Coordinates of all heavy atoms in Angstrom, one line a residue:
N174 N 73.7 99.9 110.2 CA 72.3 100.0 109.6 C 71.3 100.2 110.9 O 70.6 101.1 110.9 CB 71.9 98.7 108.8 CG 71.3 99.0 107.6 OD1 70.9 100.1 107.2 ND2 71.4 98.1 106.7
L175 N 71.7 99.4 111.9 CA 70.8 99.4 113.2 C 71.0 100.8 113.8 O 70.1 101.3 114.4 CB 71.1 98.2 114.0 CG 70.2 97.0 113.8 CD1 68.8 97.3 114.2 CD2 70.1 96.5 112.3
L176 N 72.2 101.2 113.9 CA 72.6 102.4 114.7 C 71.9 103.6 114.0 O 71.2 104.4 114.7 CB 74.1 102.6 114.5 CG 74.6 104.0 115.1 CD1 74.3 104.1 116.6 CD2 76.2 104.0 115.0
M177 N 71.9 103.6 112.8 CA 71.2 104.7 112.0 C 69.7 104.7 112.2 O 69.0 105.5 112.5 CB 71.5 104.7 110.5 CG 72.9 105.1 110.2 SD 73.1 105.4 108.5 CE 73.6 103.8 107.9
A178 N 69.0 103.5 112.1 CA 67.8 103.3 112.2 C 67.2 103.7 113.6 O 66.2 104.2 113.8 CB 67.3 101.8 111.9
A179 N 68.0 103.2 114.6 CA 67.6 103.5 116.0 C 67.5 104.9 116.3 O 66.8 105.2 117.4 CB 68.6 102.6 117.0
T180 N 68.3 105.7 115.7 CA 68.4 107.2 116.1 C 66.9 107.7 116.0 O 66.5 108.7 116.7 CB 69.2 108.0 115.2 OG1 68.9 107.7 113.8 CG2 70.6 107.6 115.4
L181 N 66.0 107.3 115.1 CA 64.7 107.8 115.0 C 63.5 106.8 115.5 O 62.4 107.0 115.3 CB 64.4 108.1 113.5 CG 65.2 109.2 112.8 CD1 64.9 109.4 111.3 CD2 65.0 110.5 113.6
A182 N 64.0 105.7 116.1 CA 63.0 104.8 116.7 C 62.4 105.3 118.2 O 63.2 106.0 118.8 CB 63.7 103.4 117.0
K183 N 61.4 104.9 118.4 CA 60.7 105.4 119.7 C 61.4 104.6 120.8 O 61.5 103.4 120.9 CB 59.3 105.0 119.8 CG 58.5 106.0 118.9 CD 57.0 106.1 119.5 CE 56.4 107.2 118.8 NZ 56.5 107.1 117.2
G184 N 61.9 105.5 122.0 CA 62.5 104.7 123.1 C 63.9 104.4 122.8 O 64.6 104.8 121.9
E185 N 64.4 103.4 123.7 CA 65.9 103.2 123.8 C 66.1 101.8 122.9 O 65.5 100.9 123.1 CB 66.3 103.0 125.2 CG 67.8 102.8 125.3 CD 68.4 102.7 126.7 OE1 68.7 103.8 127.2 OE2 68.5 101.7 127.2
T186 N 67.2 101.9 122.2 CA 67.7 100.7 121.6 C 69.1 100.4 122.2 O 70.0 101.3 122.4 CB 67.9 100.9 120.0 OG1 66.6 101.1 119.5 CG2 68.4 99.7 119.3
Q187 N 69.4 99.1 122.4 CA 70.7 98.6 122.8 C 71.3 97.8 121.8 O 70.6 96.8 121.4 CB 70.7 98.0 124.2 CG 70.1 98.9 125.4 CD 70.6 98.4 126.7 OE1 71.7 98.0 126.8 NE2 69.7 98.5 127.6
L188 N 72.4 98.0 121.4 CA 73.0 97.2 120.4 C 74.2 96.5 121.0 O 75.2 97.1 121.5 CB 73.7 97.9 119.1 CG 72.7 98.8 118.3 CD1 73.3 99.5 117.1 CD2 71.6 97.9 117.8
I189 N 74.0 95.2 121.3 CA 75.0 94.4 122.1 C 75.9 93.5 121.2 O 75.3 92.9 120.2 CB 74.2 93.6 123.2 CG1 73.6 94.6 124.0 CG2 75.3 92.8 124.0 CD1 72.3 93.9 124.9
N190 N 77.1 93.4 121.4 CA 78.1 92.8 120.6 C 78.1 93.5 119.2 O 78.3 92.8 118.2 CB 77.8 91.3 120.3 CG 78.9 90.5 119.8 OD1 80.2 90.8 120.0 ND2 78.6 89.4 119.1
A191 N 78.1 94.8 119.3 CA 78.3 95.6 118.2 C 79.6 95.7 117.7 O 80.6 95.5 118.5 CB 77.8 97.2 118.5
A192 N 79.8 96.0 116.4 CA 81.2 96.2 115.8 C 81.7 97.6 116.4 O 80.8 98.4 116.6 CB 81.1 96.2 114.3
R193 N 83.0 97.6 116.6 CA 83.4 98.9 117.1 C 84.6 99.4 116.3 O 85.5 100.2 116.8 CB 83.9 98.8 118.7 CG 84.6 97.5 118.9 CD 84.8 97.4 120.3 NE 85.2 96.0 120.7 CZ 86.1 95.7 121.6 NH1 86.6 96.5 122.3 NH2 86.5 94.3 121.7
E194 N 84.4 99.2 115.0 CA 85.5 99.8 114.0 C 85.4 101.4 114.2 O 84.4 102.0 114.4 CB 85.1 99.4 112.6 CG 85.8 98.0 112.0 CD 85.4 96.8 112.9 OE1 84.5 97.0 113.7 OE2 86.0 95.8 112.7
P195 N 86.5 102.0 114.0 CA 86.5 103.4 114.0 C 85.5 104.2 113.2 O 85.1 105.2 113.3 CB 88.1 103.8 113.6 CG 88.9 102.6 114.0 CD 87.9 101.5 113.7
E196 N 85.2 103.4 112.0 CA 84.2 104.1 111.1 C 82.8 104.1 111.8 O 82.1 104.9 111.4 CB 84.3 103.1 109.8 CG 85.5 103.2 108.9 CD 86.6 102.3 109.5 OE1 86.3 101.4 110.3 OE2 87.7 102.7 109.3
I197 N 82.5 103.2 112.7 CA 81.3 103.2 113.4 C 81.4 104.2 114.4 O 80.4 105.0 114.6 CB 80.9 101.8 114.0 CG1 80.8 100.8 112.9 CG2 79.9 101.9 115.0 CD1 80.8 99.4 113.3
T198 N 82.4 104.6 115.0 CA 82.5 105.6 115.9 C 82.3 106.9 115.2 O 81.6 107.8 115.6 CB 83.9 105.7 116.7 OG1 84.0 104.3 117.4 CG2 84.1 106.7 117.7
D199 N 83.0 107.0 114.1 CA 82.8 108.2 113.2 C 81.4 108.4 112.8 O 80.9 109.6 112.9 CB 83.8 108.0 112.0 CG 84.1 109.3 111.3 OD1 84.4 110.3 112.0 OD2 84.0 109.5 110.2
L200 N 80.6 107.3 112.5 CA 79.2 107.5 112.1 C 78.5 108.0 113.3 O 77.6 109.0 113.3 CB 78.8 106.1 111.7 CG 77.2 106.0 111.5 CD1 76.8 106.9 110.2 CD2 76.9 104.5 111.1
A201 N 78.7 107.4 114.4 CA 78.0 107.8 115.6 C 78.3 109.2 116.0 O 77.3 110.1 116.4 CB 78.4 106.9 116.8
K202 N 79.5 109.8 115.8 CA 79.8 111.1 116.1 C 78.9 112.0 115.1 O 78.5 113.1 115.5 CB 81.3 111.4 115.9 CG 82.2 110.9 117.1 CD 83.6 111.3 116.7 CE 84.6 110.7 117.8 NZ 85.9 110.7 117.5
C203 N 79.0 111.7 113.9 CA 78.2 112.5 112.9 C 76.7 112.5 113.3 O 76.0 113.6 113.3 CB 78.4 111.9 111.4 SG 77.5 112.8 110.2
L204 N 76.2 111.3 113.7 CA 74.8 111.2 114.1 C 74.5 112.1 115.3 O 73.5 112.8 115.3 CB 74.4 109.8 114.3 CG 74.4 108.9 113.1 CD1 74.2 107.4 113.6 CD2 73.1 109.3 112.3
I205 N 75.4 112.2 116.3 CA 75.2 113.0 117.4 C 75.2 114.5 117.0 O 74.5 115.3 117.6 CB 76.5 112.6 118.4 CG1 76.2 111.3 119.1 CG2 76.4 113.8 119.6 CD1 77.3 110.8 120.0
G206 N 76.1 114.8 116.1 CA 76.1 116.1 115.5 C 74.8 116.5 114.8 O 74.4 117.7 114.7
M207 N 74.0 115.5 114.5 CA 72.7 115.7 113.9 C 71.6 115.8 114.9 O 70.4 115.7 114.5 CB 72.4 114.6 112.8 CG 73.3 114.5 111.6 SD 73.3 113.1 110.7 CE 71.7 113.2 109.8
G208 N 71.9 115.5 116.1 CA 70.9 115.5 117.3 C 70.6 114.2 117.8 O 69.8 114.1 118.6
A209 N 71.4 113.2 117.3 CA 71.0 111.8 118.0 C 71.7 111.7 119.3 O 72.6 112.4 119.7 CB 71.7 110.7 116.9
E210 N 71.0 110.8 120.1 CA 71.5 110.5 121.5 C 72.1 109.2 121.5 O 71.2 108.1 121.4 CB 70.4 110.7 122.4 CG 69.9 112.2 122.5 CD 68.8 112.4 123.5 OE1 68.7 111.6 124.4 OE2 68.0 113.4 123.5
I211 N 73.4 109.0 121.6 CA 74.1 107.7 121.5 C 75.1 107.8 122.6 O 76.0 108.7 122.8 CB 74.8 107.6 120.1 CG1 73.7 107.8 119.0 CG2 75.5 106.1 120.1 CD1 74.4 107.9 117.6
E212 N 75.2 106.6 123.3 CA 76.3 106.4 124.3 C 77.1 105.1 124.0 O 76.4 104.1 123.4 CB 75.6 106.3 125.7 CG 75.2 107.7 126.2 CD 74.4 107.5 127.5 OE1 74.5 106.4 128.2 OE2 73.7 108.5 127.9
G213 N 78.2 105.1 124.6 CA 79.1 103.7 124.5 C 79.9 103.9 123.2 O 80.3 102.7 122.8
L214 N 80.2 105.0 122.7 CA 81.0 105.1 121.5 C 82.4 104.3 121.6 O 83.0 104.5 122.7 CB 81.3 106.6 121.1 CG 80.4 107.3 120.1 CD1 78.9 107.3 120.7 CD2 80.7 108.7 119.8
G215 N 82.8 103.6 120.7 CA 84.0 102.9 120.8 C 83.9 101.5 121.5 O 84.9 100.9 121.6

Side-chain angles (χ1 to χ4, degrees):
N174 237 333
L175 268 291
L176 175 60
M177 287 189 278
T180 58
L181 292 180
K183 285 209 168 51
E185 187 177 271
T186 298
Q187 299 205 36
L188 302 180
I189 300 162
N190 198 26
R193 42 188 167 143
E194 269 65 6
E196 293 75 25
I197 290 169
T198 304
D199 202 40
L200 173 64
K202 283 183 183 162
C203 178
L204 290 167
I205 291 170
M207 295 167 72
E210 294 184 17
I211 306 170
E212 285 171 16
L214 271 62

